[in-house]
Amino acid sequence: MKARVLFSLCFLAMSSHAAAYTQFKPAVLNAALLFQHDATTGNVKHSLQWVRDVEGKLQVMTEVRYDPSGCFTHINMIDRATPREFHLVNKDGVLSSLKGERITGKINKRCEITELENKKGKFLLSYNVRGLLETMVDKSTGEVVERYEYQHSQFPVRVRNYKERLDKRIYYPSGSAQFIDSEIVSKGEERTVRVKQSCAYTPDGNADKCSLITSTDDNYRGSFFLWISNHETEYF
């Protein structure tokens, strides 16, 4: 399993700390899913998130800046393991990249990314009645490339990528009165990967420190990745 797939799973798990009483702005959740970082709640101005391995070596760092409405203005991500890097700017509904991976797109007044172009292709994005990301469609063929499925919470319970033949199912075991941790089971053509995550949360409802374990074994024996993540949040 390539490292970039594992880190994608890692960030999806980290973004999935569903809250029973905390409501997230849909635009914040959608950006977290698309650009692989943790969603934040409250009037957040600046979020800094990083992941280290068990030896303390920095693996991934993501910085997100928001306007007062909760729409992102900048997303900077550096992944030293893949390696991957992008620096995004949202200005007047136009998404562009200043450095690293080339990413462009269009954003409407609800802060929904309606068009997205990256190294994988050109896509049209649609959202459900709750404003949550639902499908990514290949702009040239009209075929659905990726679909997000939800139940009662704001977080997806299944993500299917038809082009890469990848099926991710997310489970939320019983947790505290406010938060539940999660487990992702991702089935590909060659193997199944599991990611189990557990977080501590700040009083305002944002993730603080999280641990993530990845394994190809159902019982998490012979796990080959363990991460510790941390967060800093600045408010308006």
Side-chain angles (χ1 to χ4, degrees):
M1 177 62 65
K2 296 182 179 179
R4 65 173 180 271
V5 177
L6 295 177
F7 274 95
S8 175
L9 287 171
C10 165
F11 276 104
L12 181 57
M14 289 164 56
S15 300
S16 301
H17 46 79
Y21 304 114
T22 302
Q23 291 294 306
F24 293 81
K25 295 177 181 178
V28 173
L29 289 174
N30 295 330
L33 285 173
L34 286 169
F35 302 116
Q36 301 170 7
H37 60 265
D38 279 5
T40 53
T41 183
N43 294 320
V44 175
K45 180 179 182 180
H46 177 236
S47 172
L48 183 64
Q49 309 166 15
W50 64 94
V51 180
R52 296 182 184 274
D53 62 21
V54 291
E55 297 177 349
K57 184 178 180 181
L58 182 66
Q59 298 293 327
V60 185
M61 183 172 64
T62 306
E63 178 186 36
V64 187
R65 295 186 181 275
Y66 302 91
D67 64 20
S69 71
C71 189
F72 74 89
T73 60
H74 299 79
I75 301 178
N76 303 310
M77 194 275 276
I78 299 176
D79 182 344
R80 292 181 175 177
T82 312
R84 187 188 182 199
E85 177 179 356
F86 57 75
H87 299 267
L88 304 181
V89 176
N90 169 20
K91 185 176 181 180
D92 299 326
V94 177
L95 182 66
S96 60
S97 53
L98 299 178
K99 185 181 177 182
E101 183 179 332
R102 182 180 179 275
I103 300 174
T104 61
K106 295 181 180 180
I107 303 174
N108 63 23
K109 294 181 179 179
R110 294 186 295 274
C111 196
E112 296 171 346
I113 299 175
T114 56
E115 296 186 27
L116 182 67
E117 180 179 353
N118 54 30
K119 62 182 180 181
K120 294 184 177 181
K122 298 180 180 180
F123 307 97
L124 300 175
L125 284 67
S126 66
Y127 300 81
N128 63 22
V129 293
R130 293 187 288 170
L132 302 173
L133 179 61
E134 192 168 53
T135 61
M136 294 182 63
V137 175
D138 189 302
K139 190 175 181 179
S140 60
T141 66
E143 297 179 350
V144 175
V145 175
E146 195 161 66
R147 183 181 299 277
Y148 295 78
E149 299 178 8
Y150 304 82
Q151 289 183 344
H152 303 297
S153 77
Q154 292 181 296
F155 297 89
V157 296
R158 188 178 188 183
V159 181
R160 288 187 286 178
N161 189 302
Y162 301 101
K163 187 174 183 180
E164 298 178 6
R165 297 183 180 179
L166 194 63
D167 189 354
K168 304 174 188 176
R169 294 178 183 266
I170 305 98
Y171 302 91
Y172 305 100
S174 297
S176 68
Q178 187 174 11
F179 296 102
I180 353 180
D181 294 332
S182 65
E183 181 180 22
I184 295 177
V185 179
S186 180
K187 294 184 177 180
E189 292 184 313
E190 298 181 357
R191 67 176 70 184
T192 297
V193 177
R194 294 176 178 269
V195 179
K196 184 182 291 185
Q197 69 94 30
S198 181
C199 292
Y201 298 91
T202 61
D204 51 37
N206 285 306
D208 187 10
K209 293 179 176 63
C210 302
S211 64
L212 299 104
I213 303 173
T214 301
S215 179
T216 55
D217 183 86
D218 291 349
N219 297 313
Y220 290 88
R221 296 174 179 173
S223 300
F224 54 89
F225 270 117
L226 171 63
W227 297 281
I228 303 296
S229 68
N230 212 331
H231 309 72
E232 288 184 1
T233 307
E234 178 186 359
Y235 299 87
F236 282 102

